[in-house]
Amino acid sequence: MTEKSDKLDVAVVLVNDGYASTAVGPIEVFSAAGTMWNEMCGDDPEPRFRVTTASIDGAPVRSAYGLNIAPDCALPDLGPVDLVMVSASGPVPDDWMARHAAIPPWLAERYRTGTRIAGVCSGVAFLAEAGLLAGRTATTHSGVAEGFRQRYPDVDWQTDLLITEDAGLYCSGGVNAASDLSLHLVERLCGRDVAIGCSKALLLDTPRPSQSGYALLPLARPHGDDKIREAEHHLTAHFTREVPVEELAEVAGMSRRNLMRRFKQATGHMPGVYQQMLRVSAARKMLEDGAPSIEQVGLSVGYEDVAFFRRVFKRHCGATPSAYRDRFRPGRA
């Protein structure tokens, strides 16, 4: 995969008064994907990304602690890319959003043309300012969360999560989460084997499964029913045990019948099926990590009957748990 057409294009947007590691870290992760670990193992490098840096006007930016970084180009001169990642700026949007006013509309236009957009730490504010996160789940640094909630009340802020993914929009928490988000994107775009090799080469933690800080795979279509969103969050937090519909109705503050109707209308699924999908998502990650015991995986996600677990898993994934594990386990070519 050394031909130009085989690589994905990533643009890292540099901002003034930001945190240099939230730009440099992703640059190194994407540049190392398919190359560094291969070389360490004596194999030919197979670079998976071309990385370009850009600032608003193409001029060097100065980080919060005095590091000057020269970009490759200005935003208007940047060609088509597959992914844009915005690095983190300061903690208070009021202080720097006006100086970076060109970024939000540029992000909105890129997203409209199909580009994936990612924000790191406080850089998530640029996505919110562009209107991209309205009605969607997002995270950011817990230290700026309250201010972001007030400034962007239409965003579903879930700051207990390290990473969120919603309709091609990716957000991460604190400064160090830049590497986590980058590895997550390497996995999403190039597969788990490439991400694991990248993490080994850079001595970073391997991409963590959903239960350890990542949002579970998006299960429902976007919707604006805040009460049902509360019920979804409750199911996500307690998916390993049986959650009665009456319990969800109490959480959402409505009758059982109304909960069932609105849940199906908002998410496209009944609560029981939604919980099955949550469990299967968690089970998939365990199997991708090479979990040796199908029975243990079933127990871990809430199924005591392994035969029933196998049937549910096959219904949602089209393959048995063992077949799925054999196909996607680490190290498989």
Side-chain angles (χ1 to χ4, degrees):
M1 290 185 62
T2 57
E3 293 298 321
K4 182 176 180 181
S5 60
D6 291 331
K7 301 175 188 175
L8 296 169
D9 286 291
V10 177
V12 177
V13 178
L14 308 176
V15 295
N16 280 294
D17 301 319
Y19 299 94
S21 62
T22 64
V24 176
I27 291 170
E28 292 181 338
V29 170
F30 291 121
S31 298
T35 61
M36 193 172 179
W37 184 246
N38 290 39
E39 292 170 338
M40 289 178 174
C41 296
D43 298 326
D44 292 334
E46 297 181 359
R48 301 304 183 99
F49 297 94
R50 277 184 304 271
V51 184
T52 304
T53 56
S55 67
I56 290 177
D57 55 5
V61 301
R62 187 173 178 83
S63 77
Y65 299 110
L67 179 65
N68 292 314
I69 307 176
D72 296 314
C73 66
L75 290 184
D77 298 329
L78 186 69
V81 295
D82 300 286
L83 169 68
V84 169
M85 179 173 280
V86 187
S87 56
S89 190
V92 184
D94 288 336
D95 292 345
W96 45 263
M97 191 59 73
R99 291 187 291 125
H100 298 91
I103 293 179
W106 181 84
L107 291 176
E109 178 59 29
R110 288 287 174 149
Y111 185 69
R112 279 194 292 271
T113 61
T115 304
R116 300 173 181 86
I117 308 292
V120 179
C121 192
S122 59
V124 170
F126 290 111
L127 281 66
E129 195 78 14
L132 300 179
L133 298 179
R136 303 192 187 281
T137 300
T139 191
T140 187
H141 194 293
S142 58
V144 300
E146 188 54 40
F148 279 26
R149 287 192 178 95
Q150 294 177 17
R151 187 180 178 96
Y152 309 110
D154 53 355
V155 178
D156 179 22
W157 295 107
Q158 296 294 318
T159 53
D160 57 321
L161 297 173
L162 182 68
I163 287 176
T164 59
E165 173 183 341
D166 195 331
L169 299 164
Y170 306 84
C171 305
S172 74
V175 169
N176 288 336
S179 295
D180 290 284
L181 178 56
S182 301
L183 279 173
H184 176 70
L185 287 163
V186 170
E187 179 179 356
R188 295 290 280 165
L189 299 174
C190 302
R192 190 159 180 81
D193 285 352
V194 175
I196 290 174
C198 189
S199 67
K200 287 179 179 178
L202 295 171
L203 297 182
L204 297 170
D205 288 339
T206 55
R208 281 166 274 180
S210 302
Q211 305 92 298
S212 300
Y214 282 81
L216 288 164
L217 295 177
L219 301 175
R221 58 198 177 206
H223 64 81
D225 193 327
D226 292 338
K227 292 294 186 181
I228 296 304
R229 197 179 296 279
E230 290 178 18
E232 287 183 82
H233 292 325
H234 188 76
L235 269 177
T236 300
H238 303 285
F239 71 90
T240 59
R241 67 170 175 83
E242 292 300 322
V243 181
V245 174
E246 290 76 13
E247 182 178 329
L248 286 179
E250 184 176 350
V251 168
M254 61 183 71
S255 69
R256 182 183 189 280
R257 181 177 180 180
N258 199 25
L259 180 281
M260 297 284 283
R261 178 183 61 81
R262 285 174 56 176
F263 197 99
K264 177 64 182 297
Q265 184 178 38
T267 70
H269 307 287
M270 297 301 286
V273 174
Y274 190 97
Q275 184 172 31
Q276 284 185 354
M277 294 168 67
L278 287 168
R279 289 176 168 182
V280 168
S281 285
R284 282 173 52 193
K285 296 299 292 182
M286 294 180 196
L287 294 167
E288 289 167 10
D289 289 336
S293 170
I294 302 301
E295 182 177 9
Q296 186 58 50
V297 170
L299 286 171
S300 296
V301 299
Y303 292 111
E304 295 184 3
D305 186 337
V306 67
F308 182 66
F309 167 60
R310 287 193 178 100
R311 290 196 297 272
V312 170
F313 190 94
K314 186 173 183 179
R315 184 185 312 140
H316 288 283
C317 295
T320 64
S322 56
Y324 185 91
R325 179 188 58 195
D326 290 344
R327 180 179 178 186
F328 294 106
R329 69 179 183 269
R332 180 177 174 84

